[in-house]
Structures are given as C-alpha cells and as structure tokens.
C-alpha cells in the first residue's frame, strides 16, 4: 500500500545537474512514487541567483538561504549538487543534525572528508549516498559497495574523466596537438574555461580516492592519490604508442599490492594495449574495469558527465534513500575495517616506455643498458634511430617499481652521451 504523505526533498543547487534532478522529479513523479512507495515532493531549492528563470520549478520554492532550508526539520532527503568543500560540508552535516539523509554528487568533498561525513551520518542514523560522484550515470559505487560486497576486489582501472578522454581521443584519431584538441573540447562544452581540474588530474584523483576506499575497505584520502596531468602528452607519444600497438589514456588506477598488505591509488597518462577494452572508449565517455577474485573481470561503461546522466545517478540514490526512510532503516555506510596502509608511488610496479635523446655513436646503447641493469630494471625492447650525430633511443621495460625507474632515469641524466629524457610513460593494462 502506498503512503499518501509525501517524502520531502530539499535540493541544494540548481545548475546543470540540479535542474535536471528537479525536471525528472516532476515529469516522472508518478513512477518515482510507485517505485518508492510514497510520493516525493520537492520542498525547496537553494540557489545563489534567485532571479534566474528556472523552467518547471515553482518560484515559491526557490531560496538563497540553504541553511534555513536544511534546518526546517521536515526535510527527509537533502540532495547536494552545489560542489566544492564549503558551504557543502556544513550544509550536509547540518542536514544530518536535523534528521535528513543526504544524496550528494560532490567528489571533491567526499575524497577529502568522506570519513567524517560517514561518521556524521551514522551518528544521526541517516544515509549518505553518492553514486553520482564518480562516473556520472554509470552504476559503479553501488556495485562495488553492495554487489561485490562478498568478493575481494584487487584492482580498479578506469577512465573517469570525460574531458581528458575526449582530448586524448582526438589527438589519437585525428593527429591533433594537445592545445588544438583542448580548444575543440572547450568549444563543445566538454572542457571548462579553466580546464586545470580535468587536464591536471585533480578531478580523476578525487574519484580514485573514493573508488579505492570502497573497493579495499580502507580510508583513502585525496592526498593519498598520486596525480600526474596529461598536458605534456604529445603527438610523438601517440606515434610511439601506435608502434607498440597501444593508445594513451588518462587512467585512475587503484590496486592491492601483490602480497595484499597495502594499496595504492594513482592517476596519470598511460599507454594501454589496443586489445584492452578501455582502449576503445571514445569521446567523452567513461569506463571502469574491475578485477576481483570471484567475479573476475568486469567493465562498467557509459556517459560519465552531463546534466541528465548525472541526474540519473542522483535519482537512483534518491529512490534508494527514500525506500530506506519508509522502512525506518539505513543503507550501507562506510566500510573501512581493512584499514590497509596506502603506499606511495615508489612502491608501484608496472612497465615503462622511456624515450631518450642520445649521441649517435658506438657504445651508447651498452652504456644505457648498463644503467638499467645496475638499478635492477629489466629491458624488454630497445629501438634506436640516429642521424647527424644525434639519436633517439626508445626503451620499453619489463615490470619495475617506480622507485627503481626513477633512480635509473636520474643516473641516465648524468651520462654525457644522454642529451635528455624526451618522455617517460607507464604501460598499463597487461
């Protein structure tokens, strides 16, 4: 039997995502009520610019006083889509104090203060759901938190930023340079006026922290994630990748150490074989590859950003939270029981592609090979091309630690025959 008294929802933010949330709540009201078991009522919308026309939203619901809205006491669920750290953090904790559960899309806040927010939700018997914080419409948080709760996840490897994937895909398929591809992404609305958060990996790093925490039942903060941007990737790097049967993606990689005693989380550009499913992810799409003991390899794919796709994830959480409210229960909270240490980048083991500018004379290759051997880094392949006294030497290693590779490169730079290190790129997905 359906309850007649509606569940009241406060919406914090009414931009691209928030306006879609409000639209879907209105146009799909009957379906949402049937799925939840009670009507859902939009009780208030907090915005910064109240005079802006918002189609389909009753102007009487609009307020600039977000604090008063979450303190009303009759709000069942607060949907936070304003982003940033403050005032979002204070508004969410206040919502818990006044009896509401929270649905958020705020990756930056969750990556920085997820543990404290989970603790506040638990203290007040409330839910904190955030499917929309990672990979837009792609169901990922809930499968990791619930569907794979009985499995052991060993690795999460993914493309979690649509802007960077669009840029790298354009560079790969059209031969465009980085700036040209970025300009096109900006013109199409994929990149912000200031693209730093995307192209320097900050956005992906926040998502990696969230994914690693859930996958490994360990608290992983944004500061724990190694981050390297993609603005230095060149057309020459793509040419080298093609020669290896690879392409280049900005990847978020979260993995257990081989002995299971620690975890790492990192974001950086990497070469990935064309045989790997992530290599075929085009445009602004996202995809995440999950590897676990029992289920093996799983791939989640779809639109990773945009108003409607992100709103879809928000509404999915809203339905789940509202059902919990009706049942007088809460869903899964933070699971950090494993408390594994988070290792630094130096402990990461992977393959490397190193391009060196060297003198074109006898003995150079032997010198370089000796340096690799001295640092315990095994060479897989070497390619050398020379002309007019200068040469390019491309070395692909077997798996080695980042610390060992860093030591190798530092020693190489000291050789008189090495003019410079043109590029270093990790090779993943094998």
């Amino acid at each position: 039997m359906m309850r007649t008294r509606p569940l009241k929802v406060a919406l914090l933010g009414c931009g691209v995502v928030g306006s879609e949330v409000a639209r879907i709540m209105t146009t799909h009201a009957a379906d949402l009520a049937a799925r939840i078991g009670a009507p859902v009522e939009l009780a208030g919308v907090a915005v910064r610019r109240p005079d802006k026309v918002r189609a389909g939203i009753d102007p009487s619901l609009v307020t600039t006083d977000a604090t008063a809205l979450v303190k009303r006491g009759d709000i069942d669920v607060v949907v936070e889509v304003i982003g940033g750290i403050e005032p979002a953090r204070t508004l969410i904790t206040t919502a818990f104090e006044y009896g509401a559960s929270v649905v958020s899309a705020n990756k930056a806040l969750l990556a920085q203060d997820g543990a404290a927010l989970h603790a506040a939700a638990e203290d007040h018997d409330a839910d904190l759901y955030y499917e929309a914080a990672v990979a837009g419409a792609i169901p990922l948080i809930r499968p990791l938190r619930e569907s794979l709760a009985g499995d052991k996840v060993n690795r999460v490897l993914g493309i979690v930023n649509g802007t960077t994937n669009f840029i790298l895909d354009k560079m790969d398929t059209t031969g465009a340079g980085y700036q040209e591809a970025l300009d096109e992404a900006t013109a199409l609305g994929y990149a912000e006026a200031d693209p730093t958060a995307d192209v320097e990996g900050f956005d992906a790093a926040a998502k990696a922290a969230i994914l690693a925490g859930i996958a490994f039942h360990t608290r992983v903060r944004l500061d724990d994630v190694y981050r390297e941007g993609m603005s230095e990737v060149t057309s020459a790097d793509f040419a080298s990748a093609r020669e290896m049967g690879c392409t280049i993606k900005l990847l978020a990689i979260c993995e257990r150490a081989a002995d299971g005693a620690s975890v790492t989380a990192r974001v950086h550009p990497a070469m990935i074989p064309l045989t790997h499913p992530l290599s075929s992810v085009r445009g602004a799409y996202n995809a995440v590859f999950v590897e676990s003991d029992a289920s093996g390899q799983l791939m989640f794919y779809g639109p990773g950003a945009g108003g409607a796709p992100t709103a879809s994830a928000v509404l999915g959480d809203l339905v789940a939270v509202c059902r919990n409210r009706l049942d007088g229960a809460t869903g899964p909270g933070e699971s950090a029981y494993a408390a594994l240490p988070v290792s630094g980048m130096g402990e990461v083991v992977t393959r490397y592609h190193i391009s060196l500018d060297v003198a074109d004379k006898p003995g150079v290759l032997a010198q370089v090979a000796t340096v690799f051997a001295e640092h315990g880094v095994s060479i897989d392949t070497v390619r050398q091309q020379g002309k007019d006294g200068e040469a390019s030497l491309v070395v692909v290693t077997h798996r080695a630690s980042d610390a060992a590779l860093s030591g190798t490169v530092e020693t190489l730079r000291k050789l008189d025959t090495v003019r410079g290190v043109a590029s270093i790129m990790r090779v993943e997905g094998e």
Side-chain angles (χ1 to χ4, degrees), residues 59-203:
S60 68
L61 298 178
V62 176
T63 178
T64 57
D65 195 342
T67 301
L69 178 58
V70 300
K71 283 184 173 182
R72 274 179 36 172
D74 65 338
I75 299 298
D76 292 288
V77 184
V78 169
V79 174
E80 182 272 309
V81 288
I82 56 178
I85 306 302
E86 288 291 357
R89 173 170 49 197
T90 298
L91 291 169
I92 288 174
T93 55
T94 301
F96 292 143
E97 292 168 5
Y98 280 79
S101 288
V102 172
V103 172
S104 176
N106 196 331
K107 52 188 172 288
L109 178 58
L110 288 159
Q112 178 173 305
D113 290 321
L117 294 177
H118 275 293
E122 184 176 356
D123 287 344
H124 295 91
D125 295 320
D127 274 324
L128 173 62
Y129 276 48
Y130 43 91
E131 184 68 64
V134 180
I138 304 172
L140 183 59
I141 299 297
R142 194 169 295 133
L144 282 173
R145 193 160 68 167
E146 299 179 28
S147 303
L148 296 175
D151 205 345
K152 179 184 178 184
V153 176
N154 296 309
R155 195 174 197 224
V156 179
L157 172 76
I159 298 164
V160 295
N161 183 277
T163 300
T164 54
N165 199 60
F166 178 88
I167 293 169
L168 292 172
D169 185 38
K170 282 294 176 181
M171 293 177 69
D172 185 23
T173 58
T174 69
Y178 168 76
Q179 190 60 52
E180 182 183 353
L182 173 59
D183 290 344
E184 183 175 353
T186 303
L188 293 172
Y190 292 130
E192 301 287 344
D194 179 0
T196 302
D198 293 323
V199 300
E200 295 304 329
F202 290 100
D203 175 84

Side-chain angles (χ1 to χ4, degrees), residues 12-50:
L12 307 183
C14 198
V16 173
V17 176
S19 59
E20 282 295 315
V21 171
R23 181 189 67 80
I24 295 171
M25 285 185 65
T26 301
T27 58
H28 296 177
D31 286 337
L32 290 172
R35 294 165 190 170
I36 292 168
V40 180
E41 174 187 313
L42 186 59
V45 181
V47 300
R48 284 183 296 181
R49 292 176 293 173

Side-chain angles (χ1 to χ4, degrees), residues 97-428:
E97 292 168 5
Y98 280 79
S101 288
V102 172
V103 172
S104 176
N106 196 331
K107 52 188 172 288
L109 178 58
L110 288 159
Q112 178 173 305
D113 290 321
L117 294 177
H118 275 293
E122 184 176 356
D123 287 344
H124 295 91
D125 295 320
D127 274 324
L128 173 62
Y129 276 48
Y130 43 91
E131 184 68 64
V134 180
I138 304 172
L140 183 59
I141 299 297
R142 194 169 295 133
L144 282 173
R145 193 160 68 167
E146 299 179 28
S147 303
L148 296 175
D151 205 345
K152 179 184 178 184
V153 176
N154 296 309
R155 195 174 197 224
V156 179
L157 172 76
I159 298 164
V160 295
N161 183 277
T163 300
T164 54
N165 199 60
F166 178 88
I167 293 169
L168 292 172
D169 185 38
K170 282 294 176 181
M171 293 177 69
D172 185 23
T173 58
T174 69
Y178 168 76
Q179 190 60 52
E180 182 183 353
L182 173 59
D183 290 344
E184 183 175 353
T186 303
L188 293 172
Y190 292 130
E192 301 287 344
D194 179 0
T196 302
D198 293 323
V199 300
E200 295 304 329
F202 290 100
D203 175 84
K207 295 169 181 176
I210 295 170
L211 291 174
I214 297 170
F216 306 134
H217 305 279
T218 292
R219 287 178 179 169
V220 180
R221 288 171 49 89
L222 181 59
D223 292 344
D224 296 321
V225 181
Y226 172 84
R227 178 194 54 78
E228 185 181 316
M230 48 151 281
S231 57
E232 300 300 318
V233 176
T234 66
S235 298
D237 292 324
F238 274 102
S240 294
R242 282 191 288 274
E243 290 178 357
M244 289 181 60
C246 292
T247 188
I248 298 172
K249 299 292 186 181
L250 184 76
L251 299 177
I253 305 170
C254 314
E255 57 191 350
R256 294 180 189 267
D259 61 5
S262 64
V263 299
T264 57
R266 51 196 165 105
V267 168
H268 54 72
M271 294 183 180
I272 190 165
L274 295 176
T275 54
H276 194 283
L278 291 179
S279 70
S280 60
V281 177
R282 300 298 183 191
Y285 275 69
N286 284 190
V288 177
F289 207 71
V290 178
E291 301 174 8
S292 64
D293 277 0
S295 60
Q297 297 179 329
L298 305 170
M299 182 169 163
F300 301 83
Y301 170 84
T310 305
S312 171
V314 170
L315 267 294
D317 278 350
L318 179 63
V319 169
V321 170
C322 286
R323 287 171 174 170
N324 291 341
R325 298 284 288 192
L326 291 180
D327 292 338
T330 55
E334 183 188 32
S335 176
Y337 73 89
L340 296 170
V342 183
S343 297
M345 190 63 188
E347 304 301 313
V348 169
V349 176
T350 189
R351 298 178 67 205
Y352 290 87
H353 176 284
I354 306 102
S355 180
L356 305 172
D357 294 326
V358 299
D360 186 16
K361 62 182 184 180
V364 173
L365 178 56
Q367 268 191 318
V368 169
T370 297
V371 171
F372 276 86
E374 288 173 346
H375 288 272
V377 180
S378 174
I379 294 175
D380 182 18
T381 62
V382 178
R383 186 175 71 255
Q384 184 174 6
Q385 293 178 326
K387 184 179 181 181
D388 299 328
E390 298 296 328
S392 173
L393 190 65
V394 175
V395 178
V396 179
T397 74
H398 289 290
R399 290 173 63 82
S401 72
D402 189 83
L405 195 283
S406 296
T408 302
V409 172
E410 184 178 347
T411 303
L412 287 171
R413 293 183 192 276
K414 297 175 182 178
L415 295 179
D416 292 338
T417 51
V418 175
R419 310 296 193 219
V421 180
S423 68
I424 303 172
M425 191 164 294
R426 297 167 185 88
V427 183
E428 302 286 349

